[in-house]
Amino acid sequence: MKKLAFLILFVSFSIFGQTKYLTKTGIVDFEASVPSFEEVKATNNTVTAIINTDNGEFAALVLVKGFRFKNALMEEHFNENYAESDKFPKATFKGKLVDFDISNLKETYTINGILSFHGKSKELKLSCRLTQMEKVFKISGDFIALASDYDIDIPKIVSKKIAEEIQVSFNFDLMKK
């Protein structure tokens, strides 16, 4: 499944004459905690991401079951009740860094793209930091996603314990393919 998903990401870019950097160990964190209640936070450190440095196209693939929580029961509830990861096993982001030019790199970029999660897609405009160190491109940033934008139902009984606004952060160290 993971190989197939990576192949889909790879094929989504034109194959000839382009320079690509990728990782299979990117990190995506999210937090939907509410003060005075148990922390609702998870990390996935097996995220696949790729950037085409010829045109600034960027894509990431997250296998939803890869998110790890401190509490196993919370992880189970996340996968079964909220993300429905058997039905919606992956989340993807496909976009492009605005005004990206490999010969004139900036520290911050805007990425316009589409985040798909839980069967819903939403256009996003994200800010990210980009640095190049030898043969590695580092891309990191954060944004807020609303549970309601992705049809995530938070039952009334726990609605005061789980935030509607979910803080998402990402960190990718991409190496030349």
Side-chain angles (χ1 to χ4, degrees):
M1 173 77 172
K2 193 170 185 178
K3 288 181 182 181
L4 175 64
F6 177 72
L7 181 63
I8 291 169
L9 275 176
F10 183 76
V11 173
S12 70
F13 293 98
S14 299
I15 294 177
F16 300 104
Q18 297 181 347
T19 307
K20 296 175 188 72
Y21 289 73
L22 65 97
T23 184
K24 294 181 183 178
T25 57
I27 299 169
V28 172
D29 298 309
F30 77 81
E31 184 165 5
S33 301
V34 174
S36 301
F37 288 100
E38 186 175 9
E39 178 180 70
V40 179
K41 185 176 183 180
T43 298
N44 187 328
N45 58 11
T46 59
V47 178
T48 300
I50 188 167
I51 185 171
N52 179 334
T53 58
D54 290 341
N55 58 19
E57 289 179 331
F58 175 81
L61 171 76
V62 178
L63 296 178
V64 178
K65 284 189 177 180
F67 280 105
R68 298 294 172 245
F69 293 75
K70 285 183 186 177
N71 178 324
L73 185 59
M74 195 177 289
E75 188 171 313
E76 183 180 327
H77 285 214
F78 169 76
N79 282 302
E80 290 179 7
N81 304 327
Y82 300 102
E84 298 178 277
S85 57
D86 285 337
K87 187 175 179 182
F88 306 106
K90 62 185 178 182
T92 61
F93 179 83
K94 293 179 185 176
K96 188 169 183 173
L97 282 79
V98 177
D99 298 326
F100 180 83
D101 180 356
I102 189 73
S103 64
N104 186 23
L105 292 177
K106 303 183 292 184
E107 279 187 35
T108 59
Y109 284 91
T110 297
I111 305 175
N112 292 331
I114 297 176
L115 175 62
S116 298
F117 177 71
H118 197 247
K120 299 294 176 190
S121 296
K122 180 165 175 60
E123 286 187 34
L124 296 178
K125 186 180 278 194
L126 313 176
S127 179
C128 73
R129 294 168 295 288
L130 181 128
T131 55
Q132 183 180 16
M133 301 173 80
E134 295 184 22
K135 298 179 181 180
V136 176
F137 274 93
K138 294 180 174 279
I139 299 176
S140 61
D142 51 62
F143 62 96
I144 294 192
L146 300 178
S148 58
D149 285 345
Y150 300 94
D151 284 348
I152 305 294
D153 252 348
I154 301 173
K156 190 160 181 75
I157 194 163
V158 294
S159 65
K160 293 191 183 329
K161 297 179 182 181
I162 301 173
E164 160 69 12
E165 291 187 351
I166 301 159
Q167 182 69 41
V168 180
S169 63
F170 55 91
N171 192 344
F172 304 114
D173 291 347
L174 301 120
M175 293 193 235
K176 191 169 185 177
K177 173 156 179 22

